[in-house]
Amino acid sequence: MARIVGGITTSHVPAIGGAIAKGLQNEPYWKPFFDGFGPVRQWLAEVKPDVAVVFYNDHGLNFFLDKMPTFAVGAAPEYRNADEGWGLATLAPMAGHPALSWHVIESLVGEEFDPVSCQEMLVDHALTLPMLLLWPDQRWPVKLLPICINTVQAPMPSARRCYKLGEAVARAVASWPGDEKVVVIGTGGLSHQLDGERAGFINKPFDLAFMRSLSDDPHWATRFSTRELVERAGTQGIELLMWLAARAALPGAVTQLHTSYHIPISNTASGLMLFDSQD
Ligand code: DHB
Ligand code: FE
């Protein structure tokens, strides 16, 4: 039986890719952010997961506003990024795990979720930058299973629904007969708003309460509607739904091993958490 061994939740911001390309990791602006990843990389080197299930939101690379699935699951043999307009480098292709992907898709549909299955899927900065932060040498030691949640066009799935999706993904992984170790990653947030009257909006008290809740009371964010979450976290801060789905996918006793929070990275309050999960 495959096992979920832990979870990582992190922000994603295109400017991170520019900083890596220019080698700015030790500049005062970037150092507190990049330093946060050391303990997480160390944990990955020790635990050596075989598969990464990544909850992320596509920003217009694979899905555009004309066709917007609420949930989409990658079932491709390989994933690549492409030009999104941010000037980000093309990364080494990432191997998929189609057999496990199809098992997860079948299990989700069996539980009355209706994901789009993607046998071809471009992955954008929301997925590639966290991968690059976790494995900077691009020799990806994990097979990738991307799960995309719409947070770019209304209507968006509720926090409750995303929590249930995470739980359903955990059940799907647990029922897979292989012996893979799986790390669950959620990328997005924390509070930020890129446009409109509140452009630049950041809500540190809310972010810290949300991060605390993932340890103490993981259902906490499910009490909020999408509108309430947007009010509190900003129009793009709603990406925190990825963190919620990832946290919900952690079975058994969950221990928080590492956390960092830093304002700002570009327009975003950036956060990072690492959880160990003992089933
Ligand atoms: C920024 C943040 C995001 O989540 C994103 O997808 C694009 C840009 C930013 O802060 O600049
Ligand atoms: Fe984003």
Side-chain angles (χ1 to χ4, degrees):
M1 172 181 117
R3 263 185 317 131
I4 292 177
V5 291
I8 300 164
T9 55
T10 173
S11 307
H12 63 238
V13 172
I16 298 164
I20 294 172
K22 293 186 197 128
L24 303 181
Q25 290 90 332
N26 287 315
E27 294 290 311
Y29 180 89
W30 288 103
K31 191 168 168 40
F33 171 76
F34 281 102
D35 281 356
F37 284 84
V40 182
R41 287 203 280 263
Q42 196 180 328
W43 179 85
L44 285 168
E46 282 161 19
V47 175
K48 296 186 176 50
D50 307 295
V51 175
V53 171
V54 184
F55 292 96
Y56 78 109
N57 60 294
D58 181 89
H59 301 71
L61 180 66
N62 195 68
F63 304 111
F64 200 61
L65 303 180
D66 58 335
K67 300 179 196 72
M68 184 55 65
T70 300
F71 301 127
V73 180
E78 184 179 271
Y79 300 91
R80 293 169 186 264
N81 63 339
D83 183 10
E84 305 172 45
W86 298 104
L88 296 175
T90 306
L91 301 190
M94 292 167 243
H97 192 329
L100 178 56
S101 287
W102 280 112
H103 172 79
V104 169
I105 291 164
E106 280 189 26
S107 185
L108 289 177
V109 172
E111 293 204 31
E112 300 175 359
F113 283 88
D114 306 300
V116 170
S117 53
C118 301
Q119 297 185 64
E120 291 182 354
M121 193 183 205
L122 288 173
V123 288
D124 78 356
H125 70 272
L127 188 140
T128 57
L129 292 176
M131 291 291 287
L132 199 51
L133 288 162
L134 299 175
W135 293 286
D137 63 6
Q138 296 186 44
R139 288 155 66 195
W140 321 115
V142 287
K143 290 185 172 170
L144 186 62
L145 200 170
I147 302 183
C148 184
I149 301 178
N150 167 36
T151 54
V152 301
Q153 172 161 268
M156 297 167 195
S158 68
R160 272 187 67 201
R161 186 71 173 151
C162 293
Y163 198 99
K164 287 181 179 172
L165 176 73
E167 292 177 314
V169 168
R171 285 189 289 272
V173 170
S175 65
W176 171 247
D179 59 1
E180 292 91 336
K181 286 189 275 184
V182 178
V183 62
V184 181
I185 301 172
T187 106
L190 289 173
S191 61
H192 63 299
Q193 171 141 351
L194 299 180
D195 46 24
E197 275 176 27
R198 293 201 308 168
F201 174 78
I202 281 178
N203 185 347
K204 182 174 178 180
F206 178 78
D207 287 339
L208 296 182
F210 174 63
M211 288 173 86
R212 221 173 17 250
S213 78
L214 294 186
S215 286
D216 302 349
D217 180 14
H219 285 93
W220 178 76
T222 65
R223 74 190 62 195
F224 299 113
S225 68
T226 302
R227 176 177 282 270
E228 288 166 339
L229 285 172
V230 166
E231 275 168 9
R232 285 160 178 77
T235 42
Q236 280 73 37
I238 190 69
E239 292 176 346
L240 61 78
L241 293 177
M242 314 306 151
W243 290 43
L244 198 59
R247 173 61 185 85
L250 300 182
V254 173
T255 314
Q256 179 188 306
L257 297 182
H258 176 67
T259 177
S260 93
Y261 181 78
H262 176 68
I263 298 172
I265 289 300
S266 188
N267 301 291
T268 299
S270 75
L272 171 66
M273 296 183 85
L274 168 65
F275 299 96
D276 181 70
S277 175
Q278 302 286 335
D279 209 4

